[in-house]
Amino acid sequence: MLLLNLDESSRTPPYQQIFLQMKDKIELQVLRPGDKLPSTRKLAEQLGVHRSTVASAYQELWAQGYIEQRHGCRPVVRERMQMATAKDREQEGWVRWQAVTSAASVSLWEQCREMKPAVAGETGGEVIDFSSLDMDGRLFPVDHFRVCLDRALKTEGTALLGYGDRAGYMPLREYIAGHLRSHGITITAEEILITNGLQQGIDLVFRMLAAPGQAVAIESPTYNKITPLLRFCGLKPLEVPVRHDGMDLTMLEEVLRREKPVLVYTMPNSQNPTGISTSQTHREQLLSLCETYRVPILEDGFEEEMKYFGKAALPIKSMDKHHLVIYAGTFSKVLFPGVRIGWIAAERECIDRLLSIRYFSDTSSSMILQAGIYKFCQSGHYARHINKMRRVFRSRMQTAIKAFDEYIAPDWAEWIQPSGGYLIWMKLKSPAPVRRDEWESLMLRKGVCAAWGTLFFAGDTGENHIRLSISKLNEQEIETGICRLGDVLWEVWNNKT
Amino acid sequence: MLLLNLDESSRTPPYQQIFLQMKDKIELQVLRPGDKLPSTRKLAEQLGVHRSTVASAYQELWAQGYIEQRHGCRPVVRERMQMATAKDREQEGWVRWQAVTSAASVSLWEQCREMKPAVAGETGGEVIDFSSLDMDGRLFPVDHFRVCLDRALKTEGTALLGYGDRAGYMPLREYIAGHLRSHGITITAEEILITNGLQQGIDLVFRMLAAPGQAVAIESPTYNKITPLLRFCGLKPLEVPVRHDGMDLTMLEEVLRREKPVLVYTMPNSQNPTGISTSQTHREQLLSLCETYRVPILEDGFEEEMKYFGKAALPIKSMDKHHLVIYAGTFSKVLFPGVRIGWIAAERECIDRLLSIRYFSDTSSSMILQAGIYKFCQSGHYARHINKMRRVFRSRMQTAIKAFDEYIAPDWAEWIQPSGGYLIWMKLKSPAPVRRDEWESLMLRKGVCAAWGTLFFAGDTGENHIRLSISKLNEQEIETGICRLGDVLWEVWNNKT
């Protein structure tokens, strides 16, 4: 006879107690595969419970694969693959991911690990971080946004909880189209696709074009996620050097003629990492070149709003009569990145093709956040916030420039003075080559860090360059940080390392 | 002399008036390239304004590329690429997207257009739509969610507006890990990656594995976004037929042995489109097979919660001791799709590799929505909502089954009775082959529509099958819709078409 004990004072319901005790007996092989269990009637009598209680316990045992039940027969313990409990899950699995995953994804994975910042933990004091392009959370208009989001959900309710329009929330697309008009870009809402941040826009464009043997012309140096992503997509990066006024156009023409890239990727404002903004003339010439060779341009407008010194040039897209330019924008670099909302503006047919890739890769962006951002923009908060950010960062950048003059001798380094944005690109005029790891540990010892130049080149160049980002630092932090950087350079030049 | 008129009563500021009038003159070629403009002093005198007003207008003209300015010289009108206004943007651009985009993306685009539902517009009355797996918005817990979202933003504020943890909001990952435990899956939060819905999880896994010549074993029929996405990623789909109890395991073994796929993709609960849920035994055998061949499984658990008839089987992942199973889940199919939050649970190294692809493709998911959903789950709303959905859809499915018995003669069609979910797969026993377009227009005339079977096969099979989804219909709509479907079948069988 099967011995079970029901504890009437327990908070575990009787059927559950029966289930658990039976389960134990099966797992401990007291009951073995093929053994018959008592009928529900019999066990119910024995335990003094209702038959349905026993039936529930048997149902649970069946559901979890412990027993077989056939109508009219007593249940039988079955051969059973064991559940994987924490204990018996193996430390190392049977799949060798390094072998199973594609070469391209192995390489992406390795690069991703390299890109993890070398910050913190290693130093006692607070490290001032010039390495990251993350935004300064102290400036986020969190309360305004929260209220707008709440209001959007209150007004539209259920309509925001479905998949919604695949191309994005229509009022937001209309707002963006209107906003782009203020940058000289004539476009309709139908020519706009909402994406999960600007990064997804880039990925979609690369995926649309990727085919064996195809190449993309890029700036060198460039944004550090570009080359790995191109290669992952199976596209070859063709590096065109950046001069003081932007991409070298003679070289670009050479590349266009000889290598026939399917795309030119460019960042005309506050280029990452050099901080260079190109002139109106440069933009016109670049567009003319691409028109001649009928090659589309991906214009990365990630910092369209952050032009705060001197005179702003208009986007390349504003001159694009022949629909060559795919313009990618974002709310991340002036508002906050957490909404993950960017957009692509391009010829309708191009948008349609990108949309199909989007639909298969992750369906669509959340309507909830899009409606929240729309409310935020429509209430005038966005325009006000842009003005605030321009004011704040003009002042912060002035502080940075002043600190450079004060703490960094012209013999040690030279840098490009930006006309906006958050980035300063610096060339170290080292007496001897500096190795990245030495440099980084020296910086960390002094309580400062920055992004190492090689990250931004497809090849092995870029040593003796660093990129400084002031995006998340206030004026005091900037000044202290640059002072510490001066200390580092002083030590290097005086062989104190 | 340059004639300009300033309107002092206008709300347009004087500098803007000067700018606009100059711009017009340049565009109308009254002022031609090379012409000199008056000095700021002279024009200011002439117009009776301050010099800085004229300087501002000139600055704007410069910024928009109309004039050249050199220090100490009068500004000169420049050769200028015209802005692309709405008028002079060409109807057809110069890029032939069909030629520039890859063959794979052309094909995806074409399939995406085909997938657009054939609904509405064509009929006078309201069409009852069985074709879509969209959810019934009437059941969305919109107010509870709104309050949770607002509370999350109030509590955490700024912390939610940055990029946050690349793998996802930690409390939510912990909640999901705990919730998976209730399905027998032992897993830690570190083994979970948050994705933009389940679809992104699938895309990431395919991208991780895609390499020339690689293949993936899939069910046939299967979810209609699988085959196009596999092909887009460059992976070959290997179709394994679905029998009444799930994937044909003898065929699967054959495929594993001969074709060495890099992955088996399976949907053990309420399989899309057949609605079949496999037994515990079938799941064990499938896992054993894949263990033998050391092939990872992608288990699509999109309807893990919606088992409402009979006894539920546990996920394959619950028996996975050797980390072969990549489990993908979502909030979309029981809560609402608009949050775009899904997850992947897999061996840590696999998660890490998927994360790197994720980081380059769209960085991360919004922390705001993740925190909102977490609050919603943690407050018990999610568990309550699951119970409600089970109750509602058990009843709706019963209505559907009753209506089938009532309105559809066994001679006309046969269908598989589901044990949960929203789907019913129906085979039309037509006396003559039915063409999709004829069938769809006949359905629409009767005010009903469903998904055509061929959508779910990689090859050309699947005619004479339709998939009915009750996910967004209430009981009355279901009954009326099936009654109309009965009318359609009656006409087909009595040659009234």
Side-chain angles (χ1 to χ4, degrees):
Chain A
M1 199 177 102
L2 198 62
L3 284 177
L4 302 177
N5 298 305
L6 291 192
D7 178 357
E8 282 176 30
S9 65
S10 163
R11 294 183 59 188
T12 311
Y15 95 89
Q16 186 79 11
Q17 292 185 43
I18 300 172
F19 162 72
L20 290 169
Q21 291 179 39
M22 288 275 201
K23 178 173 165 285
D24 276 356
K25 288 195 196 303
I26 295 170
E27 286 183 344
L28 296 167
Q29 305 237 335
V30 176
L31 287 166
R32 290 164 170 279
D35 284 357
K36 281 189 184 167
L37 300 191
S39 68
T40 47
R41 191 184 49 78
K42 214 162 178 179
L43 189 57
E45 269 174 20
Q46 178 192 326
L47 297 172
V49 297
H50 196 273
R51 268 181 79 170
S52 67
T53 306
V54 177
S56 296
Y58 282 5
Q59 176 158 333
E60 197 62 29
L61 285 167
W62 180 88
Q64 299 204 11
Y66 287 94
I67 60 173
E68 301 272 15
Q69 292 200 87
R70 239 174 298 163
H71 189 71
C73 304
R74 283 162 56 193
V76 172
V77 177
R78 61 192 281 264
E79 282 291 356
R80 182 171 183 281
M81 188 172 264
Q82 265 181 38
M83 304 285 291
T85 58
K87 253 181 303 171
D88 59 18
R89 284 204 310 162
E90 291 191 337
Q91 270 305 25
E92 279 205 19
W94 282 5
V95 179
R96 296 181 51 81
W97 299 106
Q98 185 78 0
V100 168
T101 54
S102 71
S105 73
V106 167
S107 153
L108 195 74
W109 178 56
E110 285 165 358
Q111 283 177 74
C112 196
R113 294 163 92 185
E114 249 178 55
M115 281 170 68
K116 279 182 189 154
V119 200
E122 305 180 36
T123 166
E126 286 263 305
V127 174
I128 292 180
D129 182 7
F130 288 103
S131 75
S132 141
L133 235 172
D134 285 1
M135 304 295 298
D136 184 351
R138 295 166 289 198
L139 301 172
F140 293 163
V142 56
D143 286 325
H144 286 312
F145 178 69
R146 186 176 57 74
V147 170
C148 290
L149 188 60
D150 195 54
R151 212 169 286 164
L153 263 170
K154 227 177 221 156
T155 323
E156 299 210 34
T158 294
L160 299 179
L161 302 186
Y163 288 106
D165 189 330
R166 289 182 193 174
Y169 182 65
M170 190 41 105
L172 181 64
R173 283 154 69 203
E174 273 162 3
Y175 177 86
I176 291 170
H179 185 74
L180 288 178
R181 259 172 247 133
S182 77
H183 290 291
I185 297 176
T186 310
I187 204 129
T188 64
E190 281 73 28
E191 291 163 290
I192 288 174
L193 170 66
I194 302 293
T195 54
N196 295 329
L198 198 150
Q199 189 66 26
Q200 189 182 37
I202 297 175
D203 187 40
L204 289 173
V205 172
F206 288 177
R207 289 182 95 176
M208 175 176 76
L209 299 172
Q214 300 295 26
V216 171
I218 59 171
E219 287 150 351
S220 174
T222 190
Y223 170 37
N224 54 348
K225 276 178 162 184
I226 293 299
T227 313
L229 183 58
L230 277 176
R231 289 189 174 135
F232 179 64
C233 292
L235 289 159
K236 188 179 153 196
L238 304 169
E239 293 192 86
V240 179
V242 172
R243 310 294 179 202
H244 69 280
D245 61 345
M247 210 187 237
D248 183 321
L249 295 177
T250 316
M251 294 277 283
L252 176 63
E253 174 152 30
E254 187 85 7
V255 163
L256 288 171
R257 204 179 59 239
R258 279 212 199 152
E259 314 241 13
K260 305 196 191 326
V262 283
L263 183 78
V264 174
Y265 169 79
T266 184
M267 209 182 251
N269 306 311
S270 315
Q271 200 250 359
N272 185 354
T274 62
I276 290 170
S277 297
T278 61
S279 67
Q280 201 68 40
T281 314
H282 188 277
R283 294 170 192 216
E284 290 176 13
Q285 287 168 349
L286 195 154
L287 178 58
S288 279
L289 265 181
C290 290
E291 283 177 348
T292 307
Y293 292 91
R294 307 256 165 142
V295 175
I297 296 170
L298 175 54
E299 178 176 18
D300 185 330
F302 85 120
E303 280 188 10
E304 204 64 74
E305 312 301 342
M306 292 303 289
K307 308 162 188 167
Y308 47 70
F309 289 151
K311 299 145 186 175
L314 293 172
I316 305 174
K317 182 72 185 161
S318 70
M319 300 172 276
D320 178 34
K321 288 179 208 162
H322 310 298
H323 304 285
L324 258 81
V325 181
I326 303 169
Y327 179 91
T330 179
F331 287 104
S332 296
K333 291 302 173 194
V334 64
L335 200 49
F336 38 77
V339 282
R340 310 300 311 122
I341 296 179
W343 63 86
I344 285 195
E347 186 172 17
R348 183 114 191 235
E349 194 190 324
C350 175
I351 290 294
D352 219 43
R353 287 163 189 270
L354 294 169
L355 181 55
S356 67
I357 301 173
R358 208 300 138 89
Y359 179 63
F360 281 91
S361 67
D362 74 342
T363 313
S364 57
S365 285
S366 167
M367 292 294 134
I368 304 165
L369 292 176
Q370 291 183 68
I373 281 286
Y374 169 68
K375 261 269 179 290
F376 184 88
C377 291
Q378 186 214 22
S379 321
H381 292 308
Y382 184 50
R384 274 192 293 277
H385 187 69
I386 290 175
N387 282 334
K388 175 181 165 188
M389 291 290 280
R390 278 204 202 110
R391 205 174 56 239
V392 168
F393 278 95
R394 181 167 48 225
S395 169
R396 290 184 179 182
M397 190 58 91
Q398 276 160 347
T399 302
I401 292 166
K402 230 180 90 198
F404 274 127
D405 290 338
E406 189 161 342
Y407 299 113
I408 295 176
D411 284 355
W412 301 344
E414 58 190 41
W415 63 90
I416 301 173
Q417 182 150 333
S419 60
Y422 311 108
L423 301 174
I424 302 155
W425 183 239
M426 184 178 254
K427 187 180 174 185
L428 309 172
K429 300 195 233 160
S430 164
V434 181
R435 272 182 41 210
R436 178 179 175 177
D437 50 352
E438 283 173 11
W439 174 258
E440 280 175 350
S441 67
L442 179 58
M443 298 259 290
L444 281 179
R445 274 210 306 280
K446 295 283 177 189
V448 62
C449 74
W452 189 244
T454 51
L455 285 174
F456 306 98
F457 290 88
D460 267 342
T461 44
E463 278 162 16
N464 292 10
H465 278 90
I466 55 170
R467 187 197 72 179
L468 299 167
S469 161
I470 61 166
S471 60
K472 63 174 189 184
L473 305 174
N474 66 22
E475 293 182 35
Q476 210 213 300
E477 291 158 344
I478 291 169
E479 206 196 325
T480 313
I482 292 172
C483 173
R484 291 179 187 174
L485 183 62
D487 282 356
V488 172
L489 292 169
W490 185 87
E491 290 203 2
V492 171
W493 264 255
N494 293 284
N495 289 313
K496 302 284 180 191
T497 53
Chain B
M1 199 177 103
L2 195 62
L3 284 179
L4 301 178
N5 298 305
L6 290 193
D7 177 357
E8 283 177 28
S9 65
S10 164
R11 295 182 58 187
T12 311
Y15 94 90
Q16 185 80 11
Q17 293 186 44
I18 300 172
F19 162 71
L20 289 170
Q21 291 179 41
M22 289 275 202
K23 176 173 166 285
D24 276 355
K25 287 193 198 303
I26 295 171
E27 285 183 344
L28 296 167
Q29 305 238 331
V30 176
L31 287 165
R32 290 164 168 280
D35 285 358
K36 283 189 183 168
L37 301 191
S39 68
T40 47
R41 190 184 49 76
K42 215 161 179 184
L43 189 57
E45 269 173 21
Q46 178 193 325
L47 296 173
V49 297
H50 196 274
R51 267 180 80 171
S52 68
T53 307
V54 176
S56 296
Y58 282 6
Q59 176 158 332
E60 197 62 30
L61 284 167
W62 179 88
Q64 299 205 10
Y66 288 93
I67 61 173
E68 301 274 14
Q69 291 200 90
R70 239 173 297 162
H71 189 71
C73 302
R74 282 162 57 193
V76 171
V77 178
R78 63 191 280 263
E79 282 292 357
R80 179 172 185 280
M81 187 173 265
Q82 267 181 36
M83 303 285 290
T85 58
K87 253 181 305 171
D88 60 17
R89 283 204 311 162
E90 290 190 340
Q91 268 307 23
E92 278 203 20
W94 283 6
V95 179
R96 297 181 50 81
W97 298 106
Q98 184 77 2
V100 169
T101 54
S102 72
S105 74
V106 167
S107 154
L108 195 73
W109 178 55
E110 286 165 356
Q111 283 178 75
C112 197
R113 295 163 92 185
E114 249 178 54
M115 281 170 68
K116 279 183 187 152
V119 200
E122 303 180 35
T123 166
E126 285 262 305
V127 174
I128 293 181
D129 183 6
F130 288 103
S131 74
S132 140
L133 236 172
D134 286 1
M135 303 296 298
D136 185 351
R138 295 166 290 198
L139 301 172
F140 293 164
V142 55
D143 286 325
H144 285 312
F145 177 70
R146 185 176 57 74
V147 170
C148 290
L149 189 61
D150 195 54
R151 213 169 286 163
L153 263 169
K154 226 176 221 156
T155 322
E156 299 210 33
T158 294
L160 299 180
L161 302 186
Y163 288 106
D165 188 330
R166 288 182 193 175
Y169 183 64
M170 190 44 104
L172 181 64
R173 284 154 68 204
E174 274 162 1
Y175 177 85
I176 291 170
H179 185 73
L180 288 177
R181 260 172 245 134
S182 77
H183 291 290
I185 298 176
T186 311
I187 203 128
T188 64
E190 281 73 28
E191 290 163 292
I192 287 174
L193 170 66
I194 301 292
T195 54
N196 294 329
L198 196 152
Q199 188 66 26
Q200 191 183 38
I202 297 176
D203 187 40
L204 290 172
V205 172
F206 288 177
R207 289 182 94 175
M208 175 177 75
L209 300 171
Q214 299 295 25
V216 171
I218 58 171
E219 288 151 352
S220 174
T222 190
Y223 170 37
N224 54 347
K225 276 177 161 185
I226 294 299
T227 313
L229 183 59
L230 277 175
R231 289 191 173 132
F232 179 65
C233 291
L235 288 160
K236 188 179 151 197
L238 304 170
E239 294 192 86
V240 179
V242 172
R243 311 295 179 200
H244 68 282
D245 61 344
M247 212 186 236
D248 183 322
L249 296 176
T250 315
M251 295 276 285
L252 177 62
E253 175 151 32
E254 187 84 8
V255 163
L256 289 170
R257 203 180 58 239
R258 280 211 198 153
E259 314 241 13
K260 306 197 189 323
V262 284
L263 184 76
V264 174
Y265 169 78
T266 184
M267 210 183 251
N269 306 310
S270 315
Q271 199 249 1
N272 185 354
T274 62
I276 290 170
S277 297
T278 61
S279 66
Q280 201 68 40
T281 314
H282 187 277
R283 293 170 192 216
E284 289 177 15
Q285 287 168 348
L286 195 153
L287 179 58
S288 280
L289 266 181
C290 290
E291 283 178 350
T292 307
Y293 291 90
R294 307 256 165 142
V295 174
I297 296 171
L298 175 53
E299 178 177 19
D300 184 330
F302 85 120
E303 281 189 9
E304 203 65 74
E305 311 302 341
M306 290 303 288
K307 308 163 188 167
Y308 46 71
F309 290 149
K311 299 145 184 174
L314 292 171
I316 305 174
K317 182 74 185 159
S318 69
M319 302 172 276
D320 178 34
K321 289 181 207 157
H322 310 297
H323 304 286
L324 257 82
V325 180
I326 303 169
Y327 178 92
T330 180
F331 287 105
S332 296
K333 292 301 175 196
V334 65
L335 199 49
F336 38 75
V339 282
R340 312 298 312 121
I341 296 179
W343 62 87
I344 285 195
E347 186 170 17
R348 183 114 190 235
E349 194 191 323
C350 176
I351 290 293
D352 219 43
R353 286 162 190 269
L354 293 169
L355 182 56
S356 67
I357 301 174
R358 202 317 137 78
Y359 179 63
F360 281 91
S361 68
D362 73 342
T363 313
S364 57
S365 285
S366 167
M367 291 295 134
I368 303 165
L369 291 177
Q370 291 181 69
I373 281 285
Y374 169 66
K375 262 264 177 294
F376 184 87
C377 291
Q378 186 213 22
S379 319
H381 293 306
Y382 185 50
R384 274 192 293 278
H385 186 69
I386 290 174
N387 282 334
K388 175 181 164 188
M389 290 291 278
R390 277 202 203 113
R391 207 174 53 239
V392 168
F393 278 94
R394 181 166 48 224
S395 168
R396 289 183 179 184
M397 190 57 91
Q398 276 161 346
T399 302
I401 291 166
K402 229 180 91 199
F404 274 127
D405 289 337
E406 189 162 341
Y407 299 113
I408 295 177
D411 284 354
W412 301 344
E414 58 190 39
W415 64 90
I416 300 173
Q417 183 150 332
S419 61
Y422 310 108
L423 301 175
I424 302 156
W425 184 239
M426 185 178 255
K427 187 180 174 186
L428 309 173
K429 300 195 233 162
S430 164
V434 182
R435 275 182 39 211
R436 177 179 176 179
D437 50 353
E438 282 172 12
W439 173 257
E440 280 176 348
S441 66
L442 179 58
M443 298 260 290
L444 282 179
R445 275 208 307 280
K446 295 282 178 189
V448 62
C449 75
W452 188 244
T454 50
L455 286 173
F456 306 98
F457 291 88
D460 268 341
T461 44
E463 279 162 13
N464 293 9
H465 277 91
I466 55 171
R467 187 197 73 180
L468 299 167
S469 160
I470 60 165
S471 60
K472 64 173 188 185
L473 304 174
N474 66 22
E475 293 183 34
Q476 210 213 302
E477 290 157 344
I478 291 169
E479 205 195 326
T480 312
I482 291 173
C483 172
R484 290 178 189 175
L485 182 63
D487 283 355
V488 172
L489 292 169
W490 186 87
E491 289 202 3
V492 170
W493 263 256
N494 293 282
N495 288 310
K496 303 284 182 192
T497 52

